[in-house]
Amino acid sequence: MSDLLRRITINPKQCGGRPCIRGMRIRVSDVLDLFAAGLSAEQILEEMPDLEADALKAALLYASRKLNHPVLVA
């Protein structure tokens, strides 16, 4: 699974330093927004032919890892 995360790159000179897929100008948030809009993986791959299925998995895994932290309630 950690191999998937290698597909996510962060470059301060690209997309404002936001996480992108393999150095392309397709942000992780772009992929997540398409899923949230109701597109299936197949539809996203049709919409963005430069992506591969593993790139979609990588975006979801990256988001999951970033959100997996304890929340302190005051």
Side-chain angles (χ1 to χ4, degrees):
M1 238 195 257
S2 63
D3 287 341
L4 284 175
L5 292 178
R6 291 186 184 142
R7 292 176 173 267
I8 307 299
T9 57
I10 299 172
N11 179 347
K13 296 180 181 179
Q14 186 178 27
C15 295
R18 290 176 182 85
C20 294
I21 307 295
R22 286 187 285 124
M24 294 187 280
R25 295 191 181 279
I26 300 173
R27 298 170 301 172
V28 168
S29 61
D30 296 330
V31 173
L32 298 176
D33 287 343
L34 292 172
F35 274 122
L39 274 71
S40 68
E42 294 78 18
Q43 290 170 316
I44 294 171
L45 294 174
E46 285 177 21
E47 191 77 23
M48 298 181 163
D50 291 337
L51 291 182
E52 301 165 345
D54 279 349
L56 303 183
K57 293 176 191 174
L60 292 171
L61 180 60
Y62 181 85
S64 173
R65 295 276 171 92
K66 283 296 181 183
L67 293 172
N68 188 19
H69 59 82
V71 177
L72 301 175
V73 179

